[in-house]
Amino acid sequence: MTDSQFSTWMRERQSATEAALDRILPGSHIAPQRLHDAMRYATLGGGKRVRPLLVFAAGELASAGPRALEHAACAVELIHAYSLVHDDMPCMDDDVLRRGKPTVHVEYDDATALLVGDALQTLAFQVIAEPGLMADSARQLEAVTLLARASGSRGMAGGQAIDLASVGQTISREALEVMHLHKTGALIRASVQLGALCGDVPPDALQALDRFGKAIGLLFQVVDDILDAEADTTTLGKTAGKDAANNKPTYVTLLGAPEAKRLAAELRAEARSHLAAFGDRAGRLTQLTDYIVDRSF
Amino acid sequence: MTDSQFSTWMRERQSATEAALDRILPGSHIAPQRLHDAMRYATLGGGKRVRPLLVFAAGELASAGPRALEHAACAVELIHAYSLVHDDMPCMDDDVLRRGKPTVHVEYDDATALLVGDALQTLAFQVIAEPGLMADSARQLEAVTLLARASGSRGMAGGQAIDLASVGQTISREALEVMHLHKTGALIRASVQLGALCGDVPPDALQALDRFGKAIGLLFQVVDDILDAEADTTTLGKTAGKDAANNKPTYVTLLGAPEAKRLAAELRAEARSHLAAFGDRAGRLTQLTDYIVDRSF
């Protein structure tokens, strides 16, 4: 697939995700209006939709149907959106800017932000568990539990807890990797798995895709750390340099920028190696891997 | 069933719920330890487990299997526990006492309380979606979405948002009812439905049980309002009189205590009427209804 075909594919899937989220989120006119308005504010009209793109790319490789993929894509994006709303709150990272707009607790208030995150998480599970979404209901239950495990205390929320505990600490590269494999990696990895689960792939292919998902999960965070250190706030759409300001360990503070970039290159090569057996069918996943890296340098 | 047999049944089901929650919640020794420790603190060793008792009572009427009921009971209690942790936070009700102990954000910190609530909600969906829990996977997906609808922005979280918006307002009895049907009622109603879904009941019986669930959901809140106004903090295990202190409308402030008590009696009678067709099989649900009322007067 040429770069231009890939760009078209990305835009189409981003639009499909946006349209599906718009349909799934209750309208701002439905009571309680302020909550629904804030849920839409937190979710719509922003973000690169990397996780949904991974769901679609893995799902299309697995010949999954469009409706199941759309729901799975929305579910991971709703989990991601909820985590951003809560992470930005004053008692966590206390951030005022996200996707180029004031964060939810700034635009609304802290109590609303708390409820927005709560309700977005609930909606994610409602969307992925919709009866009849997949022909095989037992497989769909596996998808629901996969999303729950990736999001909970031994996945994303757990990574956030490790992150909190590491503020101001000197931690090892291994500890940093454990944190990121949970905080960012778990949901990215789950996105790839969910896409594949929506379709039909043999167990060894599912395992290769999972290794790919784990590698790009870490890759995504290494690139994020480099961006946070090097890009400006306008480019990022969120406050740049905030990890350093918050005294948080990152790959850049731990390894230095040149070594962090070398690590990113290494992880990209590793990710691609897990796709080798799929040949051309993994073209979009390969290009998404490049996209994750090239948004920075 | 005699009062003593009912008391024994209640104690047994409360113990079964406690044991199942203890098993389901990750151990305090598992990383991230502080988060897991706080999740256990928030959930174990307290509460009357009214929602799990409703799951069991409705489920046993529907001849449901014990394992599915145990998971459904834990799922509703985990949702309830998450909502308490978040509701007590400084940006919401700012309360320091719950179930006779310091609230989670007081015992740990605000950021941990936020993550505890988040992770308890996730765990609820993981528990109810466990593959193979019910023989009929499609029916189990219905159970997952039922729990999600009852908990989200058009259920419990929505009720909390209405509650926030009503502070310091004069609202009508109808508006108060709408708030409580969501805030407390939705999860109580879902508990009855979930118990029934775990077993097998014909559609008209399910509908009668749902009407029963709706009536006791409201009944529970009316009694709660009376308790909040009349009982002391030690009896409640949470701060008494806090609704009045927070300038929140309640059935007592709106109708006065005598009229609120009359309403409770009326709702109890209505709840019982929906059980009439079940005869003796609904004995436990009838006794639970009395238990909900008699904890106050």
Side-chain angles (χ1 to χ4, degrees):
Chain A
M1 189 159 36
T2 67
D3 284 357
S4 136
Q5 286 173 314
F6 178 69
S7 295
T8 304
W9 176 86
M10 270 207 345
R11 270 198 310 278
E12 283 172 2
R13 293 304 175 280
Q14 285 163 333
S15 301
T17 304
E18 185 77 13
L21 287 169
D22 182 47
R23 208 172 52 238
I24 285 165
L25 285 158
S28 297
H29 60 286
I30 294 172
Q33 284 95 339
R34 187 177 165 83
L35 176 61
H36 287 142
D37 194 62
M39 287 169 72
R40 299 178 72 84
Y41 177 86
T43 314
L44 298 175
K48 292 173 289 295
R49 313 296 188 199
V50 170
R51 292 156 194 80
L53 290 172
L54 287 167
V55 171
F56 282 113
E60 290 168 22
L61 181 152
S63 309
R67 191 160 158 270
L69 283 182
E70 215 168 83
H71 277 241
C74 288
V76 293
E77 192 65 11
L78 288 165
I79 292 283
H80 178 54
Y82 117 66
S83 78
L84 296 182
V85 175
H86 280 184
D87 289 1
D88 286 337
M89 284 183 71
C91 67
M92 299 283 282
D93 287 355
D94 194 13
D95 215 326
V96 296
L97 197 65
R98 170 72 65 183
R99 293 174 173 174
K101 301 188 297 185
T103 47
V104 176
H105 68 275
V106 170
E107 184 71 14
Y108 297 82
D109 53 76
D110 291 3
T112 301
L114 182 58
L115 290 174
V116 163
D118 289 347
L120 289 177
Q121 176 174 191
T122 321
L123 189 57
F125 287 106
Q126 189 176 329
V127 164
I128 189 82
E130 184 174 302
L133 188 62
M134 300 187 195
D136 182 345
S137 295
R139 199 182 178 91
Q140 194 178 338
L141 285 169
E142 277 179 44
V144 181
T145 47
L146 178 79
L147 184 63
R149 278 197 302 271
S151 310
S153 72
R154 304 182 78 169
M156 184 186 74
Q160 197 61 29
I162 302 172
D163 189 15
L164 276 175
S166 75
V167 171
Q169 306 285 310
T170 308
I171 65 172
S172 68
R173 180 168 165 173
E174 287 69 31
L176 189 68
E177 186 171 308
V178 168
M179 174 175 98
H180 287 315
L181 281 174
H182 289 78
K183 191 184 160 193
T184 325
L187 192 58
I188 287 181
R189 191 172 171 181
S191 301
V192 176
Q193 290 280 84
L194 277 175
L197 263 184
C198 288
D200 200 11
V201 287
D204 61 331
L206 202 61
Q207 197 172 53
L209 284 173
D210 191 39
R211 287 186 180 134
F212 163 76
K214 187 176 174 188
I216 57 160
L218 207 49
L219 173 62
F220 188 89
Q221 189 58 50
V222 174
V223 172
D224 228 45
D225 284 356
I226 296 168
L227 277 169
D228 185 72
E230 299 195 342
D232 60 31
T233 298
T234 309
T235 311
L236 288 181
K238 59 184 178 183
T239 313
K242 73 169 181 172
D243 290 336
N246 286 343
N247 209 7
K248 283 194 179 181
T250 74
Y251 279 102
V252 175
T253 59
L254 197 70
L255 308 176
E259 177 63 16
K261 288 180 186 179
R262 215 192 48 73
L263 176 62
E266 198 178 293
L267 285 166
R268 179 194 337 214
E270 191 206 322
R272 294 179 83 129
S273 76
H274 295 306
L275 298 177
F278 298 103
D280 288 348
R281 288 163 58 220
R284 280 176 194 140
L285 287 174
T286 307
Q287 279 171 300
L288 270 175
T289 308
D290 292 343
Y291 170 72
I292 286 172
V293 179
D294 293 335
R295 60 194 177 113
S296 65
F297 48 84
Chain B
M1 188 159 38
T2 66
D3 284 357
S4 135
Q5 285 172 316
F6 179 70
S7 295
T8 304
W9 177 86
M10 272 208 343
R11 270 198 310 278
E12 282 172 0
R13 294 304 175 280
Q14 286 164 334
S15 300
T17 304
E18 185 77 13
L21 287 169
D22 182 48
R23 208 171 53 236
I24 284 164
L25 286 158
S28 297
H29 61 285
I30 293 172
Q33 284 96 338
R34 186 176 166 84
L35 176 61
H36 287 142
D37 194 61
M39 287 170 72
R40 300 178 71 83
Y41 178 86
T43 313
L44 298 175
K48 291 173 290 294
R49 312 294 189 201
V50 170
R51 293 157 194 80
L53 290 172
L54 287 167
V55 171
F56 282 113
E60 291 168 21
L61 182 153
S63 309
R67 190 159 159 271
L69 283 182
E70 215 169 83
H71 277 242
C74 287
V76 293
E77 191 65 11
L78 287 165
I79 292 285
H80 177 55
Y82 118 65
S83 77
L84 297 182
V85 174
H86 280 184
D87 289 0
D88 286 337
M89 284 182 70
C91 67
M92 299 284 283
D93 288 354
D94 194 13
D95 214 327
V96 297
L97 197 64
R98 173 69 68 182
R99 293 175 173 173
K101 300 188 296 185
T103 46
V104 176
H105 68 275
V106 171
E107 184 71 14
Y108 295 83
D109 54 77
D110 291 2
T112 301
L114 181 59
L115 290 175
V116 162
D118 290 345
L120 289 176
Q121 177 175 190
T122 322
L123 190 57
F125 287 105
Q126 189 176 329
V127 163
I128 189 82
E130 184 174 301
L133 187 63
M134 300 187 195
D136 182 344
S137 295
R139 198 183 178 90
Q140 193 179 339
L141 285 170
E142 278 180 43
V144 180
T145 47
L146 177 80
L147 183 63
R149 277 198 303 269
S151 310
S153 71
R154 304 183 77 169
M156 184 186 74
Q160 195 62 31
I162 301 172
D163 189 16
L164 275 175
S166 73
V167 171
Q169 306 285 312
T170 308
I171 65 173
S172 67
R173 181 168 164 174
E174 288 68 32
L176 189 67
E177 187 172 308
V178 167
M179 174 175 99
H180 287 316
L181 281 175
H182 289 80
K183 191 184 159 191
T184 325
L187 193 58
I188 288 180
R189 192 172 172 181
S191 301
V192 176
Q193 289 281 82
L194 277 175
L197 263 184
C198 289
D200 200 9
V201 287
D204 60 331
L206 202 61
Q207 199 172 52
L209 284 173
D210 191 37
R211 287 184 180 136
F212 164 76
K214 188 177 174 186
I216 57 161
L218 208 50
L219 173 62
F220 187 88
Q221 189 58 51
V222 176
V223 172
D224 228 46
D225 284 357
I226 296 169
L227 277 169
D228 185 72
E230 299 195 342
D232 59 29
T233 298
T234 309
T235 311
L236 288 180
K238 60 183 177 183
T239 312
K242 72 170 177 169
D243 290 335
N246 287 343
N247 207 8
K248 283 195 179 180
T250 74
Y251 280 100
V252 175
T253 58
L254 197 69
L255 308 176
E259 177 62 15
K261 287 180 187 177
R262 215 193 49 73
L263 176 62
E266 198 180 294
L267 285 166
R268 180 195 335 216
E270 191 207 321
R272 294 178 84 129
S273 77
H274 295 306
L275 297 178
F278 298 105
D280 287 348
R281 288 162 59 221
R284 280 175 194 142
L285 287 174
T286 307
Q287 281 171 298
L288 270 176
T289 307
D290 293 342
Y291 170 72
I292 286 172
V293 180
D294 293 336
R295 59 193 178 115
S296 63
F297 47 84

